[in-house]
Amino acid sequence: MSAETALAGGNAGGKRIFFLYPNSVLQTEMVSELIRAEYEIYLLKDHEKARLIFKKYPDSVVFMNIDDGMKESQWEQYIRELQNDPELRELRIGILTYNNDAELARMYLMDLMVSAGFVKLSLGLKESTEIVLKVLEANEAHGRRKYLRIICGNRHATLNFQEGNRAYTGTVMDISSVGMACTFEPDPQFSAHAKAESIQLKLKGSLCLVSGIVMGTRREGELFTYVLLFDPKTGQDIKNTIRTFIQWSLQSYIEKELEALG
């Protein structure tokens, strides 16, 4: 993964979760709930490029919206090809559809035996999302990590705060909904367990105010990187802003990979 925006903690065993041809409701509602649940989500809108992405990340879960992208017969053939590919034997496939045809469900569940279920979106968004969450839990998609953390360290993730008459600016090196690692200019020389108050984060143009406790430091060249744990009272709106940035970063990364595929 690129140094600019990549998942940190991939060794923690979490799975990438792809949505192939998600409709607008899935993108705005279901995906938002999954992000709040700290899952690593990517959206794909090209089944042939998706095949190449799956080969790069075979230990993933993909939910395919079979109401879009291809005809039903083509979806069936596509899924059979993925299942028969020895490079993709670890890929878990789930189906999303508004189609209530019992025979269609039987075909995917009994004939194709998709491993991540057949989700009827007609049940309603809340129930459908709960089913997807259960599938992800059953597939241990969180791995050993509890919170999704990304490496950023670029102009899209900066910060500033003021202490007395002195202003400090900085760069966020990595971030999750519960904490971050960052550098400052000039160095505020925080001691262990010092409290950092009223830090303004700028995450791709979105602003939020956080406070935290310094849990550790590490030296990188001439700069110290401080590891901050956010105040437990941090509001959900701030956490959602951070999660939205994380999702944007992940999607930006996968878009670059798709572009590289031609």
Side-chain angles (χ1 to χ4, degrees), residues 147-150 172 174-182 201 211-213 226-231 242 246:
Y147 301 102
L148 187 61
R149 179 173 62 94
I150 58 158
V172 180
D174 62 65
I175 191 168
S176 74
S177 63
V178 296
M180 65 179 176
C182 53
L201 294 180
S211 296
I213 299 293
Y226 292 91
V227 179
L228 272 68
L229 186 67
F230 296 143
D231 189 319
I242 294 171
I246 289 173

Side-chain angles (χ1 to χ4, degrees), residues 153-222:
N154 60 28
R155 67 184 185 280
H156 295 297
T158 59
L159 54 84
N160 65 80
F161 78 101
Q162 189 155 339
E163 190 174 69
N165 295 323
R166 196 162 195 183
Y168 298 85
T169 61
T171 299
V172 180
M173 308 307 293
D174 62 65
I175 191 168
S176 74
S177 63
V178 296
M180 65 179 176
C182 53
T183 60
F184 296 96
E185 290 280 359
D187 188 343
Q189 298 183 335
F190 285 132
S191 59
H193 306 298
K195 190 166 186 180
E197 299 275 12
S198 301
I199 297 175
Q200 180 175 264
L201 294 180
K202 186 176 182 181
L203 305 175
K204 195 184 172 288
S206 296
L207 300 177
C208 56
L209 208 60
V210 298
S211 296
I213 299 293
V214 177
M215 301 303 295
T217 60
R218 60 178 184 264
R219 185 160 192 154
E220 297 178 10
E222 296 182 358

Side-chain angles (χ1 to χ4, degrees), residues 123-131:
L123 294 172
L125 186 63
K126 181 179 179 181
E127 188 168 345
S128 298
T129 302
E130 289 175 352
I131 293 170

Side-chain angles (χ1 to χ4, degrees), residues 72-101:
E72 170 50 40
S73 59
Q74 293 173 308
W75 273 114
E76 181 181 349
Q77 178 62 28
Y78 178 73
I79 291 171
R80 289 187 187 277
E81 289 172 2
L82 295 180
Q83 291 177 324
N84 292 330
D85 190 329
E87 294 183 56
L88 299 176
R89 58 182 175 270
E90 298 299 323
L91 183 68
R92 295 150 176 84
I93 297 173
I95 305 300
L96 302 171
T97 181
Y98 282 100
N99 193 325
N100 288 318
D101 186 349

